[in-house]
Amino acid sequence: MVKEQNRRNSHDYNYQRIIAYIFNHRSISRSDIAAALDLNKATVSLLCGEMQQQGLLSEVGSGSASANGGRKPTLLEINKQYGYTITVEIEAQLVRALACYLDGESIAFQQFKLTTTSNLPQELQRLVAKFKDIEDTQHGLLGICFAIHGLVNHNQIQSSFVDLSQVAFMDLFADYQVPIILENEANLAALYSRDFIQTAAQKNTVTLSIHQGISAGLILGDQLYRGSQGRVGKIGTNIVMPAFPINNRRSLVTYQDVYSELAIVRQISELVEKTTLSLDDISKLYDDHNSEVVTVISQFANGVAEMLHNMAGMLDPDVFYLNSPLLHQVPSALGQIRRYFKRLSGYDISIQLMPNIQLATLLGGAALLTHQALGLDGQTLNLWEYSND
């Protein structure tokens, strides 16, 4: 019994190592896999045969013959059409969804404006149903991930900026008979940074998401760190003493109160006396050197630098990624953030705007679902190798 269990553990362990190696290196031969992982060729051939039977691998041509001649080796690659995933992000005014192949390549995108949450369950069902026409995969839908702007712990929503109390996610999508995952938006953005953009030398990263609230997704030792109750990264609720007057009716003011995108938009709207103001409008006012807007954005930039400084002292990451639609509209503020952070901390930590900001969280969900579908939760997968074709 013990020997059989050990054999099974060894089989599963080597299976995971091989599938991860193929995923990360693409178009590779069995002999190269055996040499890289220090496995015998018979074991590699056996396990790759299993993967081919399951539809996970495709043969994609022949490599170069060895210096001694002989047959050219057959090259293997992950079969992206093994299945597809769907990720849905629920924001305060917009719901967006993305379907991806197993390798992270985007297939289709859908969205709708969120004006009320009263019919949100039905709207979500209609949104997901739009992807049913994807028929060019062997196993169809592999899982659905919902990106929540709030606190999620063990697939349970603890709090959310959008009222989701009437949305029974598991019941709504039970008929699909696939895993349904609920995850913090900032955590998914952090997974995007790890699997789609960060380099091999970057093992520890912080993704600061600034939307209606403020939270951070942490990658520590190449692994997503959620904390014991999923509360890690709630920097937006940290207490701050801003350099401008505080409403005397409140004894505590948080970063979220003064530096969230919602707070900045409200403040600028009041200053320019407009009830509705888009990020495009703010960008234009900033580019036109409106003094009040420039002052608010300057205070915002300093606030972001302060938050990064506080996290740098605790986490000392390789890089900070800023997942902020507002900063993407006024990218020149990034220079001020970098300078003020350097002045506060003295650290030379890279600070970068999150690329592909519209899809970053959605692709992070795709990465999470791909890891789960392959049983590779503890492995690093380089999805950028596929998405950058």
Side-chain angles (χ1 to χ4, degrees):
M1 180 70 73
V2 174
K3 289 183 178 180
E4 178 61 31
Q5 184 61 47
N6 289 339
R7 257 196 305 271
R8 171 50 57 186
N9 291 342
S10 176
H11 170 280
D12 293 348
Y13 174 68
N14 287 327
Y15 184 100
Q16 291 175 349
R17 292 176 67 207
I18 291 171
I19 197 73
Y21 194 82
I22 296 172
F23 199 105
N24 290 336
H25 291 83
R26 308 183 69 177
S27 302
I28 192 164
S29 70
R30 293 171 178 84
S31 58
D32 286 340
I33 297 169
L37 300 181
D38 195 23
L39 295 170
N40 65 61
K41 293 181 181 180
T43 297
V44 172
S45 293
L46 175 65
L47 294 176
C48 286
E50 288 184 20
M51 296 171 196
Q52 285 181 284
Q53 289 180 349
Q54 294 162 356
L56 279 170
L57 299 184
S58 299
E59 294 186 351
V60 291
S62 300
S64 300
S66 68
N68 297 325
R71 294 175 55 189
K72 293 182 178 180
T74 300
L75 301 180
L76 301 172
E77 187 172 274
I78 291 294
N79 175 21
K80 72 175 184 180
Q81 292 175 304
Y82 175 82
Y84 71 97
T85 64
I86 298 173
T87 302
V88 181
E89 182 178 7
I90 306 172
E91 299 183 67
Q93 298 177 331
L94 191 67
V95 177
R96 301 177 301 123
L98 181 70
C100 293
Y101 288 119
L102 183 69
D103 64 1
E105 180 185 331
S106 299
I107 305 173
F109 175 84
Q110 297 282 346
Q111 68 178 23
F112 68 84
K113 290 184 178 179
L114 182 60
T115 56
T116 176
T117 59
S118 60
N119 61 343
L120 182 56
Q122 294 77 23
E123 292 287 351
L124 289 174
Q125 286 181 314
R126 281 192 284 269
L127 178 67
V128 172
K130 290 181 179 180
F131 297 103
K132 282 187 174 181
D133 292 337
I134 299 173
E135 298 178 345
D136 61 340
T137 63
Q138 289 181 315
H139 297 277
L141 183 61
L142 301 174
I144 307 172
C145 178
F146 290 92
I148 308 300
H149 286 253
L151 177 61
V152 179
N153 183 40
H154 296 302
N155 234 30
Q156 299 293 320
I157 299 174
Q158 308 297 316
S159 63
S160 173
F161 286 98
V162 177
D163 181 11
L164 300 175
S165 58
Q166 302 302 313
V167 184
F169 290 94
M170 306 304 166
D171 295 336
L172 278 175
F173 300 98
D175 289 346
Y176 285 87
Q177 298 182 331
V178 296
I180 308 297
I181 298 178
L182 310 182
E183 184 55 272
N184 180 322
E185 170 273 334
N187 286 344
L188 294 179
L191 288 176
Y192 168 75
S193 76
R194 182 194 68 182
D195 290 350
F196 282 88
I197 59 177
Q198 81 182 46
T199 66
Q202 296 171 342
K203 303 294 185 183
N204 305 290
T205 66
V206 173
T207 298
L208 185 64
S209 284
I210 306 173
H211 300 278
Q212 191 170 1
I214 302 174
S215 57
L218 311 181
I219 300 295
L220 304 179
D222 263 340
Q223 301 298 312
L224 177 65
Y225 180 67
R226 296 181 174 90
S228 60
Q229 301 295 322
R231 292 189 292 258
V232 71
K234 287 189 64 181
I235 191 170
T237 57
N238 287 3
I239 299 169
V240 61
M241 296 298 293
F244 40 91
I246 300 175
N247 186 334
N248 292 327
R249 291 175 296 176
R250 295 190 60 181
S251 58
L252 300 178
V253 176
T254 67
Y255 280 118
Q256 233 155 240
D257 293 327
V258 289
Y259 297 132
S260 68
E261 181 181 296
L262 178 64
I264 297 300
V265 171
R266 283 177 175 172
Q267 189 177 355
I268 293 176
S269 296
E270 291 175 3
L271 289 171
V272 300
E273 299 180 343
K274 288 188 177 182
T275 55
T276 58
L277 205 61
S278 68
L279 295 184
D280 284 334
D281 295 331
I282 291 175
S283 176
K284 187 175 186 306
L285 290 167
Y286 184 81
D287 291 340
D288 290 341
H289 305 290
N290 180 291
S291 60
E292 293 176 316
V293 174
V294 169
T295 298
V296 172
I297 295 299
S298 178
Q299 291 172 337
F300 169 66
N302 286 348
V304 172
E306 290 169 9
M307 287 186 279
L308 299 183
H309 166 69
N310 290 339
M311 289 186 288
M314 295 183 291
L315 301 169
D316 191 22
D318 300 309
V319 60
F320 285 110
Y321 291 107
L322 302 180
N323 182 24
S324 165
L326 176 57
L327 282 173
H328 275 262
Q329 290 290 91
V330 285
S332 59
L334 180 62
Q336 181 176 338
I337 293 171
R338 288 169 171 163
R339 290 189 297 273
Y340 193 46
F341 171 79
K342 175 71 173 178
R343 178 180 162 192
L344 288 172
S345 67
Y347 300 148
D348 288 315
I349 299 176
S350 176
I351 302 173
Q352 303 177 25
L353 291 179
M354 179 71 80
N356 199 9
I357 190 169
Q358 183 185 28
L359 298 181
T361 298
L362 298 172
L363 288 169
L368 180 63
L369 290 167
T370 290
H371 276 81
Q372 184 178 85
L374 295 176
L376 298 176
D377 291 339
Q379 301 276 354
T380 300
L381 299 180
N382 298 330
L383 279 81
W384 61 269
E385 288 276 11
Y386 297 84
S387 61
N388 287 347
D389 278 351

